[in-house]
């Protein structure tokens, strides 16, 4: 396996956890390159359901080295808790052996969560619907060059210098904004304690990965969120604050841009959690039925996900931006009993003209145009070969390939590891 990057194609929640888990069986390194504990990657293991937020999904495979790359924003208190919960579940997590953390990764502190809530409260243009984990403000501080990095937590003098910068700038406006002021001494204690706990895992993961790549090791880059939540290419401003598409895999891991196989994960229908435009959204009974059938509730916040039809215009755009040469189609089994099935094939713009490109603006004013396909009533969960799918399910997959121009190589027909069809 060459270096492989797995990205969500729409707004996240495509079922990346299961795919990474499946691909990690053949990987030496599994690397998170962006986002923070806003992500929720769900695995269905023989021992039951496991939701990972920050720790890469390869952690359940004893042979893989898992890396939290420099592009991730890390809440160190959350990370210590997540490691504890994994160990309680009987999963071996050893910092410095199978879990490594970039010293360059930026740190989320309590103030970022307060700032996240404050920012949502004062937005006159409508809430983003953030996960409230402080992810956006932590990335803002990184850009403003006042952030703390994981490497600061293992050196008290370095931490003091970095904290002084952060506290000075934040408190200058937190007071007038009504956000509780930062207390540098209290923060210092919390951060040094977390640094002590995480110390053995913190280091130069970029060099490690470049060396591993040069030595021919198999590296799997685990995307978080999805291409339409990418800060640059997504449905701005209703996006997350990281580069969730493939571009972020290079900058967020420290690997140089070289050839990479990019696998796009997409559901057989579309979902979105949080606010923002969603051209194929179903605000009717069909959308409610999809939510129930697909158990579409956020794995991080528990919020109900908005549901809609498969959108081939959006998928083609994200596929092009991410360089995905193949798709993994998840949740095909969920569409059982929906008839007809619909797939977006174009948009009508507010001025009446038509497009098959994904616009940067006024997405909420588009009218989607659909192709209709006959549905299927059979249970797909036991099917393991494409030829054994009912003809209408096969026809649906082939229509998706036709309309997106991207091959569907893998189909997931249930939450369990083995419920997969490889083509
Ligand atoms: P933030 O990343 O918490 O700032 O939230 C920004 C937007 O991204 C909101 O609409 C969130 O619901 C969405 N978002 C963030 N992380 C995820 C995820 O892992 N899955 C789906 N949506 C997400």
């Amino acid at each position: 396996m060459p270096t492989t990057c797995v990205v969500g194609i729409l707004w996240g929640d495509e079922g990346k956890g299961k795919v990474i888990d499946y691909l990690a069986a053949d990987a030496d390194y599994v690397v998170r390159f962006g986002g923070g504990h806003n992500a929720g990657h769900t695995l269905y293991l023989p021992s039951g359901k496991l939701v990972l937020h920050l720790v890469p999904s390869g952690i359940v495979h004893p042979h893989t080295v898992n890396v939290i790359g420099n592009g991730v924003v890390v809440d160190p208190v959350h990370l210590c808790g997540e490691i504890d919960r994994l160990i309680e579940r009987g999963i071996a997590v050893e910092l410095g052996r199978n879990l490594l953390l970039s010293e360059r990764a930026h740190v989320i502190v309590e103030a970022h969560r307060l700032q996240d809530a404050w920012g949502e409260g004062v937005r006159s243009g409508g809430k983003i619907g953030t996960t409230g984990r402080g992810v956006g403000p932590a990335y803002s501080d990184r850009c403003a060059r006042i952030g703390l990095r994981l490497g600061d937590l293992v050196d008290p003098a370095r931490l003091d210098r970095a904290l002084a910068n952060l506290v000075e700038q934040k408190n200058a406006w937190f007071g007038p904004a009504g956000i509780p002021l930062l207390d540098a001494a209290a923060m210092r204690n919390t951060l040094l304690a977390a640094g002590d706990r995480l110390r053995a895992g913190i280091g130069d993961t970029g060099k490690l990965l470049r060396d591993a790549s040069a030595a021919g090791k198999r590296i799997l880059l685990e995307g978080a969120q999805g291409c339409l939540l990418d800060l640059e290419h997504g449905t701005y401003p209703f996006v997350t604050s990281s580069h969730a598409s493939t571009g972020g895999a290079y900058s967020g891991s420290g690997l140089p841009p070289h050839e990479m196989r990019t696998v796009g994960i997409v559901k057989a229908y579309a979902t979105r959690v949080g606010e923002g435009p969603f051209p194929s959204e179903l605000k009717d009974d069909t959308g409610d039925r999809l939510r129930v059938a697909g158990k579409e509730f956020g794995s991080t916040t528990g919020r109900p996900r908005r549901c809609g039809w498969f959108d081939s215009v959006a998928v083609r755009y994200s596929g092009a931006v991410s360089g995905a040469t193949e798709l993994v189609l998840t949740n095909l089994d969920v569409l059982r009993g929906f008839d007809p099935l619909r797939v977006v094939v174009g948009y009508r713009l507010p001025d009446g003209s038509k497009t098959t490109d994904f616009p940067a603006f006024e997405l909420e004013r588009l009218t989607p145009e659909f192709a209709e396909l006959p549905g299927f009533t059979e249970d797909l969960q036991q099917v393991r070969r494409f030829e054994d799918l009912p003809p209408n399910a096969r026809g649906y997959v082939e229509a998706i390939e036709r309309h997106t121009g991207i091959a569907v190589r893998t189909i997931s027909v249930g939450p369990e590891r083995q419920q997969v069809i490889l083509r």
Side-chain angles (χ1 to χ4, degrees):
M1 183 178 79
T3 298
T4 299
C5 179
V6 172
V7 290
I9 284 289
L10 297 184
W11 294 281
D13 306 320
E14 291 94 351
K16 289 182 290 296
K18 173 176 169 175
V19 178
I20 305 274
D21 175 40
Y22 164 77
L23 292 173
D26 289 325
D28 300 305
Y29 292 83
V30 180
V31 186
R32 270 284 302 271
F33 59 80
H37 63 310
N38 48 354
H41 293 176
T42 306
L43 312 184
Y44 290 88
L45 306 174
S47 61
K49 179 176 166 179
L50 176 71
V51 183
L52 296 161
H53 297 283
L54 209 43
V55 174
S57 304
I59 199 74
V60 298
H61 294 274
H63 70 281
T64 65
V65 176
N66 294 275
V67 177
I68 296 184
N70 57 276
V72 178
V73 282
V74 177
D75 178 330
V77 177
H78 168 90
L79 179 58
C80 292
E82 191 168 326
I83 292 172
D84 288 341
R85 284 191 297 280
L86 287 169
I87 293 171
E88 280 161 23
R89 281 282 299 260
I91 295 164
V93 185
E94 285 174 49
L95 284 156
R97 186 187 68 79
N98 69 344
L99 181 60
L100 307 177
L101 320 169
S102 170
E103 60 196 356
R104 291 180 164 85
H106 276 248
V107 171
I108 297 182
V109 295
E110 174 63 16
H112 291 134
R113 270 187 298 279
L114 299 175
Q115 195 181 325
D116 212 349
W118 174 86
E120 288 283 56
V122 298
R123 280 184 76 90
S124 56
K127 290 188 196 313
I128 304 288
T130 75
T131 59
R133 300 290 192 268
V135 167
Y139 279 118
S140 303
D141 283 355
R142 185 175 81 168
C143 288
R145 291 152 296 180
I146 55 170
L148 307 176
R149 295 185 291 171
L150 277 181
D152 292 323
L153 310 194
V154 293
D155 180 331
R158 200 154 66 203
L159 179 63
D160 285 338
R161 285 194 298 276
L163 258 179
N165 251 335
L166 181 77
V167 169
E168 200 170 83
Q169 291 223 15
K170 291 271 179 210
N171 282 353
W173 69 270
F174 268 26
I179 308 175
L181 293 184
L182 302 191
D183 173 350
M187 288 174 75
R188 184 179 196 274
N189 289 339
T190 308
L191 294 169
L192 286 178
D196 266 346
R197 169 87 200 273
L198 300 172
R199 180 183 302 271
I202 299 175
D204 186 351
T205 56
K207 174 169 166 43
L208 175 102
L209 291 172
R210 288 188 294 277
D211 289 349
S213 172
K217 298 289 183 195
R218 299 161 303 175
I219 300 176
L220 181 60
L221 293 147
E222 175 175 6
Q225 290 84 40
C227 294
L228 292 187
L229 287 174
D230 184 284
L231 181 61
E232 306 268 358
H233 302 290
T235 48
Y236 192 89
F238 299 97
V239 292
T240 190
S241 299
S242 61
H243 304 288
S245 189
T246 312
Y250 297 113
S251 59
S253 67
L255 283 169
H258 57 34
E259 215 167 298
M260 195 187 278
R261 166 189 172 217
T262 300
V263 179
I265 318 297
V266 67
K267 262 182 213 160
Y269 48 94
T271 63
R272 175 164 204 170
V273 62
E275 306 304 318
F278 181 178
S280 69
E281 182 170 12
L282 286 159
K283 294 183 178 164
D284 57 6
D285 284 357
T286 311
D288 293 341
R289 275 176 60 212
L290 267 176
R291 185 173 310 108
V292 172
K295 302 188 181 65
E296 295 295 352
F297 296 89
S299 42
T300 297
T301 57
R303 289 179 289 178
R305 295 181 186 138
R306 299 154 63 194
C307 297
W309 294 119
F310 187 93
D311 184 338
S312 38
V313 177
V315 172
R316 203 172 47 244
Y317 164 75
S318 289
V321 166
S322 65
T325 49
E326 59 189 278
L327 294 176
V328 177
L329 190 69
T330 60
N331 291 21
L332 183 61
D333 54 304
V334 171
L335 290 180
R336 175 188 188 184
F338 288 83
D339 194 15
L341 295 168
R342 303 177 94 192
V343 171
V344 175
V345 294
Y347 300 138
R348 189 178 289 279
L349 299 170
D351 66 5
S353 61
K354 290 185 183 184
T355 185
T356 52
D357 290 328
F358 193 75
F361 294 92
E362 304 214 69
L363 278 150
E364 47 293 295
R365 297 184 61 213
L366 298 172
T367 313
E369 305 213 311
F370 294 98
E372 267 189 15
L373 297 137
F376 53 89
T377 51
E378 298 87 343
D379 180 0
L380 307 188
Q381 292 211 338
Q382 306 313 320
V383 179
R384 297 291 174 270
R385 296 188 328 158
F386 188 68
E387 306 76 67
D388 296 337
L389 281 172
N392 288 353
R394 278 205 309 270
Y396 183 70
V397 174
E398 284 160 355
I400 284 176
E401 290 187 308
R402 217 168 35 249
H403 290 299
T404 61
I406 312 175
V408 175
R409 291 252 182 270
T410 310
I411 300 164
S412 170
V413 288
E416 310 286 337
R417 264 184 185 166
Q418 71 282 3
Q419 290 176 309
V420 165
I421 297 172
L422 301 177
R423 294 174 77 196

